[in-house]
């Protein structure tokens, strides 16, 4: 739900408190001015809860429309604030220059009363037309028995105008030295704060660029194949089972499966993978990707709200509205900030009135107004959510989905990365990597591969596909075996043409009285050292060759893990595979600790054991068997090519299996936390120094009393500084 009147950190606290009192779980994001209530809460109830806190809410029903509406709302508000600031500053600046250049800013005669009376009416008109939203905000807050940033601004500018108008109307009520007017302060403050808000709106718009780009990937129409021919059809009217035509250069409308045709698709904006991906019959296509120069037809498999792109957009938006633990502390402080500031301002004014130098009343008014204006907690409220929005957006563009702000903060402290082997640091698809001939100078590899693939075609063994893929890649045709027998735990016995074949492990050959000599044994030992699975092939009672099967390590794995080690992270390989294979893979990648032969529950236990040793653990996996460990880890990282269960259990998802993005994600999390600390430090320092200075602590030593105009400019500048600093994350180099 979009809440346009939410303006500061105290607003966030009030809205959260209202929902909490109603027993409804809700997340509030000041940077995006959105409130997300728990499922099951009706729109009417949510709006009523918001109204009880003094705010109105606009329903967000569609992500694309909501983003467009917000952009239009921000653009309109930007134009309005610019106009308001130009008008008010156009009046305030000449008045300020008049006063600073020696002009008379006091009421001392009837003619000066008439002149300042006209200025009073003009300023009142400006306060209503250009600053009315502040007074409306204060009124809504008062009705809800609370206070916010609008309260401080309205009280500060209102006091300045009321005091000045009272001096004009009843000058005799005031001592001679206190008949000073502050009309320029009231309109200058309104002008400067409106200018600050407009600049903040412009800078804030950049933070949601990632989501805007993702939403921009969604097609609006598609070419539906019907009996009457191809028809351009709105996406909303399509349903699973419809067949669509994808022409060269077209964008895929909905997730689907290729029915016919062949083409290269650009999936870079969705996955971060720069190289186009070839798609042929039975391959899947994802909404938002762009077709190359081929033509495809594909069958729709899911509706518009269930596409991979739609889920990514939902995850990014959900993460952007989440909070970090560091941000919750800020909200608690901001919740009591405004009432405390009002009390400080009143106490400071009273002290100046009774104990300050002449003219006491004027000094008291200046202090009251300055404290109220400079203390607005905008910067404090924006410090955390702005950085989260930028970071989550940049991560999405890198091909990393971050589930929530808490995961982002925890990821910055990860000290140990636990990696699953199969499908995570290896391809997860066994391949035939070598054929070693035994006592045969001229082995006919094509004929050998034909026999092996033909026998494996009848087998359901997990390694069978490796031989079939190898035969297909080398153009070798498979034939039907004359005889076939599968022996559990040993292998295959079969007949191809006139030859009798054995295909399996050493147990099979021993059972069939086939000799494995010293040369063959050496090849078996070498395969074990390299983490390969050897398959022995014997023909007519003689060992012909040893075929080595291996799950190859991902091409970027070594560089990616080296980058993690450079960040000071401890690496642990956690695999259900045998110790020899796991050790061989770990040795190639420089991983020192290897835990092999573990079941899913044992993986989870090992993660907990590492946590008990003081490690902040990130678990990286892709399979169902990894889900318990992913859930138990401080930060679970799933590969987007893995199972839905793994992705749901994880805090971070790599949209592609490129492990190099993992080190980038950890670097981004650390940079984000640093950015937030910079924002919070700046905001706290600003308020810690600004309030005492506005209260007049420098006056006894230097004779300096902060002008309300300077206070207004400083407040606007502080918010703009926070937003600008957060946007640095969009281009910051990650190491």
């Amino acid at each position: 739900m979009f809440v346009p009147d939410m303006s500061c950190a105290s607003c966030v606290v009030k809205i959260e408190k209202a929902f909490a009192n109603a027993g409804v779980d809700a997340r509030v994001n000041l940077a995006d001015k959105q409130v997300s209530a728990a499922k099951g809460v009706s729109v009417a109830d949510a709006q009523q809860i918001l109204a009880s806190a003094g705010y109105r809410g606009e329903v967000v029903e569609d992500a694309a429309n909501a983003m467009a509406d917000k952009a239009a709302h921000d653009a309109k508000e930007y134009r309005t604030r610019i106009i308001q600031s130009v008008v008010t500053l156009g009046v305030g600046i000449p008045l300020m220059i008049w006063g600073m250049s020696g002009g008379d800013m006091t009421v001392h005669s009837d003619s000066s009363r008439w002149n300042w009376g006209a200025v009073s009416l003009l300023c009142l008109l400006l306060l209503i037309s250009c600053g009315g939203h502040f007074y409306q905000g204060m009124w809504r807050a008062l009705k809800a028995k609370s206070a916010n940033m609008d309260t401080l601004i309205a009280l500060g500018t209102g006091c300045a105008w009321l005091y000045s108008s009272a001096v004009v109307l009843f000058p005799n009520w005031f001592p001679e030295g206190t008949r000073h007017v502050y009309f320029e302060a009231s309109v200058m403050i309104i002008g400067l704060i409106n200018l600050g808000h407009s600049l903040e709106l412009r800078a804030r718009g950049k933070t949601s660029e990632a989501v805007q780009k993702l939403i921009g990937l969604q097609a609006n129409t598609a070419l539906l194949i019907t009996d009457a021919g191809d028809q351009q059809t709105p996406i909303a009217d399509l349903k699973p089972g419809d067949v669509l035509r994808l022409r060269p250069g077209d964008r895929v409308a909905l997730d689907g499966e290729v029915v016919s045709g062949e083409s290269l698709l650009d999936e870079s904006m969705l996955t971060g993978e720069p190289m186009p991906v070839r798609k042929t019959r039975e391959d899947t296509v994802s909404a938002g990707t762009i077709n190359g120069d081929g033509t495809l037809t594909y069958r729709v498999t899911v509706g518009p709200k269930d596409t991979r792109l739609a889920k990514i957009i939902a995850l990014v938006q959900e993460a952007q509205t989440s909070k970090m633990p560091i941000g919750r502390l800020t909200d608690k402080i901001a919740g009591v900030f405004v009432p405390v500031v009002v009390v400080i301002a009143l106490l400071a004014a009273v002290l100046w009135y009774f104990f300050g130098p002449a003219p006491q009343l004027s000094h008291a008014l200046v202090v009251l107004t300055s404290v109220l204006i400079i203390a607005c907690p905008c910067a404090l409220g924006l410090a955390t959510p702005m950085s989260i929005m930028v970071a989550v957006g940049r991560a999405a563009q890198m091909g990393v989905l971050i589930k929530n702000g808490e995961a982002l903060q925890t990821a910055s402290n990860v000290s140990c990365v636990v990696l699953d082997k199969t499908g995570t640091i290896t391809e997860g698809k066994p391949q035939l990597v070598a054929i070693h001939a035994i006592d045969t100078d001229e082995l006919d590899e094509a004929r050998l591969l034909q026999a092996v693939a033909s026998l494996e075609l009848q087998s359901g063994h997990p390694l069978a596909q490796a031989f079939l893929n190898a035969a297909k890649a080398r153009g070798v045709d498979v034939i039907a075996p004359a005889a076939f027998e599968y022996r559990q735990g040993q292998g295959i016995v079969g007949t191809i043409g006139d030859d009798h074949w054995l295909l399996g492990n050493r147990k099979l050959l021993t059972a069939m009285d086939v000799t494995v000599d010293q040369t063959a044994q050496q090849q078996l030992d070498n395969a074990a050292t390299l983490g390969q699975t050897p398959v022995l092939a014997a023909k007519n009672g003689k060992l012909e060759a040893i075929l080595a099967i291996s799950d190859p390590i991902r091409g970027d794995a070594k560089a990616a893990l080296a980058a993690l080690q450079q960040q000071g992270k401890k690496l642990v390989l956690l695999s259900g595979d045998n110790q020899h294979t796991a050790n061989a893979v770990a040795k190639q990648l420089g991983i020192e600790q290897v835990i092999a032969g573990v079941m899913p529950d044992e993986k989870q236990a090992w993660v907990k054991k590492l946590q008990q040793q003081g490690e902040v653990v990130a678990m990286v996996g892709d399979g169902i068997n990894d889900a318990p460990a992913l859930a138990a880890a401080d930060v679970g990282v799933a590969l987007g090519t893995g199972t839905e269960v793994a992705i749901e259990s994880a805090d971070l998802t790599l949209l592609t299996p490129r492990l190099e993005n993992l080190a980038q994600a950890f670097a981004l999390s650390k940079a984000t936390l640093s950015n937030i600390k910079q924002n919070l430090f700046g905001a706290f320092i600003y308020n810690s120094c600004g309030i005492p200075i506005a209260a007049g602590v420098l006056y006894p030593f230097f004779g300096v009393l902060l002008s309300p105009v300077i206070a207004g400019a400083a407040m606007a500048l502080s918010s703009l500084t926070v937003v600008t600093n957060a946007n640095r994350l969009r281009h910051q180099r990650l190491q």
Side-chain angles (χ1 to χ4, degrees), residues 144-169:
K145 299 177 181 179
S146 62
N148 58 10
M149 184 194 78
D150 293 336
T151 305
L152 301 181
I153 297 171
L155 285 176
T157 56
C159 285
W161 183 86
L162 285 171
Y163 174 85
S164 302
S165 298
V167 168
V168 172
L169 292 173

Side-chain angles (χ1 to χ4, degrees), residues 128-375:
I128 293 172
S129 60
C130 299
H133 50 288
F134 296 123
Y135 295 92
Q136 291 170 358
M138 182 185 74
W139 178 243
R140 284 192 299 268
L142 288 175
K143 286 196 297 183
K145 299 177 181 179
S146 62
N148 58 10
M149 184 194 78
D150 293 336
T151 305
L152 301 181
I153 297 171
L155 285 176
T157 56
C159 285
W161 183 86
L162 285 171
Y163 174 85
S164 302
S165 298
V167 168
V168 172
L169 292 173
F170 312 104
N172 294 330
W173 290 8
F174 298 86
E176 186 70 33
T178 62
R179 296 175 185 174
H180 194 285
V181 292
Y182 296 96
F183 292 120
E184 88 287 355
S186 61
V187 292
M188 281 289 290
I189 289 166
I190 293 294
L192 288 169
I193 293 174
N194 278 330
L195 179 62
H197 280 185
S198 64
L199 296 176
E200 180 189 314
L201 277 169
R202 192 164 190 174
R204 189 190 296 179
K206 296 178 181 178
T207 63
S208 55
E209 278 186 0
V211 176
Q212 290 171 359
K213 286 180 180 178
L214 286 172
I215 289 176
L217 292 176
Q218 294 177 313
N220 296 318
T221 61
L223 207 58
L224 176 65
I225 300 175
T226 68
D227 294 337
D230 294 353
Q231 295 181 0
Q232 203 74 29
T233 307
I235 299 300
D237 296 339
L238 298 175
K239 59 185 184 298
D242 287 341
V243 178
L244 309 179
R245 190 180 308 282
L246 190 66
R247 298 169 301 189
D250 280 354
R251 195 178 291 278
V252 178
L254 296 170
D255 291 3
E257 182 179 279
V258 177
V259 175
S260 64
E262 182 176 336
S263 186
L264 291 172
L265 265 66
D266 179 3
E267 298 183 335
S268 58
M269 264 304 294
L270 189 61
T271 64
E273 179 62 55
M275 296 298 293
V277 181
R278 183 170 297 280
K279 300 290 182 179
T280 58
R281 179 180 169 82
E282 295 185 356
D283 285 338
T284 58
V285 292
S286 298
T289 56
I290 301 173
N291 187 24
D293 56 4
T295 299
L296 299 174
T297 62
Y298 65 98
R299 183 177 291 104
V300 175
T301 53
V302 296
K305 293 184 179 179
D306 297 317
T307 65
R308 190 182 182 200
L309 177 60
K311 290 178 179 178
I312 289 171
I313 293 171
L315 277 172
V316 172
Q317 289 180 319
E318 183 179 348
Q320 287 187 331
T321 58
S322 65
K323 278 189 171 62
M324 284 183 169
I326 194 173
R328 295 192 188 100
L329 175 62
T330 306
D331 288 343
K332 289 179 182 178
I333 295 170
V336 296
F337 193 79
V338 174
V340 169
V341 166
V342 173
V343 172
I344 291 173
L346 291 173
L347 285 174
V350 169
L351 288 172
W352 271 91
Y353 182 76
F354 286 107
F355 304 106
Q360 291 94 333
L361 190 58
S362 290
H363 284 153
L365 173 68
V366 170
V367 167
L368 175 68
T369 306
S370 297
V371 172
L372 289 173
I373 296 301
I374 204 167

Side-chain angles (χ1 to χ4, degrees), residues 530-595:
L530 295 172
Q532 299 170 345
T533 300
V535 177
L536 291 81
K539 183 178 74 172
N540 300 326
K542 182 181 179 183
L543 181 61
E544 288 271 312
I546 295 176
L547 300 94
I549 301 291
S550 177
D551 183 5
I553 295 171
R554 295 189 186 278
D556 68 327
K558 190 168 186 176
L561 298 189
L564 290 172
Q565 288 174 324
Q566 286 178 356
Q567 292 178 352
K569 307 237 181 336
K570 174 183 178 181
L571 301 183
V572 177
L573 182 62
L574 187 63
S575 175
D577 209 339
N578 65 74
Q579 192 73 46
H580 280 298
T581 302
N583 284 340
V585 171
K587 185 177 181 180
Q588 294 179 64
L589 296 174
I591 301 175
E592 294 183 1
Q593 186 172 355
V594 179
I595 303 166

Side-chain angles (χ1 to χ4, degrees), residues 15-26 37-41 45 49 52:
I15 293 172
E16 287 181 335
K17 188 175 180 181
F19 276 93
N21 290 340
V24 176
D25 184 29
K39 291 182 179 179
V41 180
D45 288 344
I49 294 170
S52 70

Side-chain angles (χ1 to χ4, degrees), residues 395 398-402 411-412 414 416-420 424-425 556-557 559-561 563-565 567 569-571 618-621 635-639 651-670 734-735:
M398 285 165 34
V400 180
L401 291 184
I402 299 173
S412 67
V414 166
C416 175
V417 180
V418 178
L419 301 118
D420 171 53
T424 300
I425 58 176
D556 68 327
L561 298 189
L564 290 172
Q565 288 174 324
Q567 292 178 352
K569 307 237 181 336
K570 174 183 178 181
L571 301 183
M619 170 69 195
V620 189
V635 178
V637 184
L639 270 64
D651 301 299
L652 274 65
T653 301
L654 306 181
L655 291 177
T656 64
R658 289 164 55 191
L659 289 174
E660 60 196 27
N661 287 341
L662 184 58
Q664 293 267 299
F666 288 136
L668 178 62
S669 67
K670 197 172 272 297
L734 302 175
Q735 295 179 339

